[in-house]
Amino acid sequence: MSDNTIPYKIYLNEEEMPKAWYNLRADMKNKPAPLLNPGTGQPLSAEELSPIFCEELVKQELDETTPFIDIPEEIRSFYKMYRPSPLVRAYCLEEKLGTPARIYYKFEGNNTSGSHKLNSAIAQAYYAKKQGLKGVTTETGAGQWGTALSMACSYFDLDCKVYMVKVSYEQKPFRREVMRTYGASVVPSPSDTTEIGKKILAEFPGTTGSLGCAISEAVEVATKNPGYRYVLGSVLNQVLLHQSVIGLETKTALDKYDIHPDVIIGCAGGGSNLGGLIAPFMGEKLRGEADYRIIAVEPASCPSFTRGTFAYDFCDTGMICPLAKMYTLGSSFIPSANHAGGLRFHGMSSTLSQLYHDGYMEAVSVEQTSVFEAATQFARTEGILPAPESSHAIRVAIDEALKCKETGEEKTIVFGLTGTGYFDLVAYQKYNDGEMSDYIPTDEDIAASIAKLPKVNA
Ligand SMILES: *Cc1c(COP(=O)(O)O)cnc(C)c1O
């Protein structure tokens, strides 16, 4: 197909939108390792998970055989409010770079929460409502997940309690107000509303909090209050499942114009957008039907894939959550304070970890100044102000396109543009003022937290 027949934006009509999510694990020969009970070291059963998570979500979490899981009608209706998301041909960026490569990006920032996280938030809220629950609890760091969940809960009339890391609560008042506008209660963590919060406050007065502590508070509140469950916005299999809507739409849009991507690129924090974007393509790869280069991009300051260890570890700093086998830097690893670009989780989805371990995908790490350089170039050519997280993928897409310029190869590159950066302007300000620096952890830094991995015979 000649290029001038491909529109700037490939949209799907409502009939072409996915009716089922795709469960990538069904096509994996080496399944991701199960979540373990940290007390017993045994795989967690549905009964053990159900006081924490909604029943239907526990089923999805543990299901590694059903390839397609129907998207309930109510969720499909909600998706129709802001989906399908456009697959955009980056004609302007290609021209600016002078590359023969064809670049496409799937833009997930077209909703008020500003990221792909709403795709899973609405599903999790739906199952909580269907189970007759009163509400859900969660933690949020930078605030994208809390915002998405607040929107989803207000749609289904559920109570939503968000434990927001105190430093973000104070530094990102606008995110907090968006959540409150959607009816969520937002508590700075650590707080005196939980036992664990009180304990941490007594031990470390004046602490500005951490994601691990906020998780511990949210889980405590969910398990102590009848009618509440805890929900999480990344890392888990159920979240990757819901995010497969990104990849399924992308695949349908590409197929419509007979486009075959050579390279698929996504940023990786806990792995949910990347897992969702690549799902149908990785499925073809696993079944031997097609081949693609798949690249995960992570910050050099938090390099779980490229410098982590493949082992069982806690998902949270508080060490109360289940153990997951994943590429990890150790649950006590904290990216350096000058890190502004998001994607600061110490571990990685166990599904993506297994695929990376088995050689089905690559990973690269990039430094934040080069990420913001790419973000700025993208904003100035394609118009969209990208989230710093998304800009990791932009960086590598540009690098791949520049390689094509050297070799003359007309590769097709697809990347995930996960969100917008309007709430990240403090980070942009640092970059614009020339005050942003890079910090790459030393081998000793990483070895120190790896040394604290839990001992598991698995
Ligand atoms: C949360 C977030 C990410 C990283 O999370 P994943 O689970 O790795 O996808 C990336 N981009 C944006 C905009 C986010 O909000």
Side-chain angles (χ1 to χ4, degrees):
M1 185 153 314
S2 88
D3 261 20
N4 52 20
T5 59
I6 296 172
Y8 268 72
K9 286 185 185 159
I10 307 178
Y11 276 108
L12 307 179
N13 58 45
E14 287 181 5
E15 287 68 50
E16 293 169 313
M17 287 174 65
K19 296 183 179 59
W21 291 300
Y22 169 56
N23 181 11
L24 181 55
R25 287 169 291 163
D27 281 309
M28 290 170 68
K29 279 195 207 80
N30 292 340
K31 306 288 184 196
L35 292 172
L36 300 184
N37 178 324
T40 64
Q42 293 303 306
L44 278 164
S45 64
E47 294 71 49
E48 287 172 295
L49 285 168
S50 56
I52 309 172
F53 298 122
C54 304
E55 282 157 32
E56 198 59 37
L57 293 166
V58 169
K59 271 194 217 153
Q60 293 181 356
E61 191 60 34
L62 300 178
D63 186 336
E64 50 184 33
T65 51
T66 313
F68 288 97
I69 295 177
D70 284 342
I71 307 176
E73 188 59 44
E74 291 88 339
I75 300 175
R76 283 168 53 199
S77 317
F78 187 86
Y79 278 169
K80 282 177 193 165
M81 286 200 285
Y82 71 101
R83 308 197 68 80
S85 71
L87 181 71
V88 186
R89 173 74 184 266
Y91 280 116
C92 303
L93 180 64
E94 288 171 20
E95 197 181 308
K96 185 82 181 173
L97 297 173
T99 175
R102 302 177 174 95
I103 308 174
Y104 295 86
Y105 58 90
K106 179 73 169 163
F107 181 46
E108 291 291 320
N110 252 339
N111 67 76
T112 296
S113 76
S115 83
H116 66 286
K117 291 199 171 73
L118 191 55
N119 301 333
S120 183
I122 193 65
Q124 299 196 40
Y126 168 79
Y127 291 117
K129 186 71 184 179
K130 202 172 146 224
Q131 195 176 323
L133 298 176
K134 280 192 230 143
V136 293
T137 70
T138 199
E139 77 291 338
T140 200
Q144 289 100 317
W145 168 245
T147 311
L149 189 68
S150 308
M151 287 177 71
C153 285
S154 75
Y155 184 73
F156 285 122
D157 215 1
L158 277 171
D159 186 33
C160 179
K161 294 187 199 303
V162 180
Y163 283 83
M164 187 170 189
V165 178
K166 191 180 273 171
V167 60
S168 303
Y169 182 91
E170 282 157 8
Q171 287 179 0
K172 297 201 168 187
F174 298 135
R175 272 260 178 238
R176 181 180 84 207
E177 290 317 313
V178 179
M179 287 185 252
R180 293 180 60 211
T181 303
Y182 281 98
S185 64
V186 187
V187 183
S189 167
S191 74
D192 59 8
T193 66
T194 64
E195 292 311 314
I196 186 90
K198 282 183 208 157
K199 194 170 153 239
I200 291 171
L201 283 174
E203 225 171 294
F204 308 100
T207 174
T208 53
S210 72
L211 211 49
C213 168
I215 295 177
S216 309
E217 289 203 275
V219 173
E220 181 184 321
V221 173
T223 48
K224 280 194 179 159
N225 286 286
Y228 282 81
R229 292 293 183 281
Y230 167 71
V231 293
L232 186 64
S234 183
V235 187
L236 297 174
N237 293 322
Q238 54 187 279
V239 185
L240 266 72
L241 175 74
H242 306 146
Q243 295 298 355
S244 69
V245 69
I246 305 173
L248 293 164
E249 282 183 10
T250 303
K251 179 99 178 68
T252 306
L254 291 172
D255 286 350
K256 236 173 138 164
Y257 289 88
D258 211 12
I259 303 162
H260 180 92
D262 299 293
V263 191
I264 303 169
I265 301 166
C267 64
S272 74
N273 86 84
L274 179 66
L277 173 67
I278 67 173
F281 304 97
M282 184 61 89
E284 288 185 308
K285 206 169 153 146
L286 289 165
R287 296 189 303 269
E289 297 165 5
D291 200 14
Y292 306 96
R293 251 187 92 199
I294 293 172
I295 309 175
V297 190
E298 57 186 16
S301 52
C302 192
S304 347
F305 269 137
T306 50
R307 295 176 67 198
T309 300
F310 189 41
Y312 268 105
D313 193 10
F314 288 98
C315 291
D316 62 317
T317 330
M319 299 192 187
I320 57 162
C321 287
L323 299 172
K325 189 172 181 193
M326 57 187 174
Y327 278 87
T328 178
L329 296 163
S331 64
S332 61
F333 181 85
I334 294 173
S336 81
N338 75 350
H339 174 70
L343 309 174
R344 41 172 53 247
F345 185 58
H346 65 274
M348 187 53 65
S349 139
S350 58
T351 298
L352 293 188
S353 293
Q354 188 65 50
L355 290 166
Y356 178 66
H357 188 70
D358 292 341
Y360 286 102
M361 53 189 272
E362 304 165 31
V364 292
S365 71
V366 290
E367 292 172 26
Q368 64 176 356
T369 48
S370 77
V371 166
F372 277 82
E373 186 200 353
T376 305
Q377 189 170 19
F378 185 82
R380 291 180 188 177
T381 48
E382 290 290 318
I384 296 169
L385 181 77
E389 292 90 343
S390 323
S391 306
H392 288 71
I394 300 176
R395 173 72 272 160
V396 172
I398 291 178
D399 290 346
E400 288 294 321
L402 290 175
K403 279 186 211 157
C404 290
K405 188 175 173 177
E406 279 173 28
T407 61
E409 284 174 292
E410 296 181 14
K411 284 190 185 158
T412 298
I413 298 168
V414 174
F415 74 88
L417 187 70
T418 49
T420 48
Y422 303 112
F423 290 101
D424 301 287
L425 292 170
V426 173
Y428 273 96
Q429 180 183 17
K430 271 199 191 131
Y431 176 74
N432 292 332
D433 288 342
E435 284 168 6
M436 182 173 279
S437 56
D438 295 313
Y439 178 77
I440 301 178
T442 63
D443 289 343
E444 291 71 43
D445 291 339
I446 294 177
S449 52
I450 290 293
K452 293 184 204 147
L453 287 181
K455 304 280 172 281
V456 177
N457 300 323

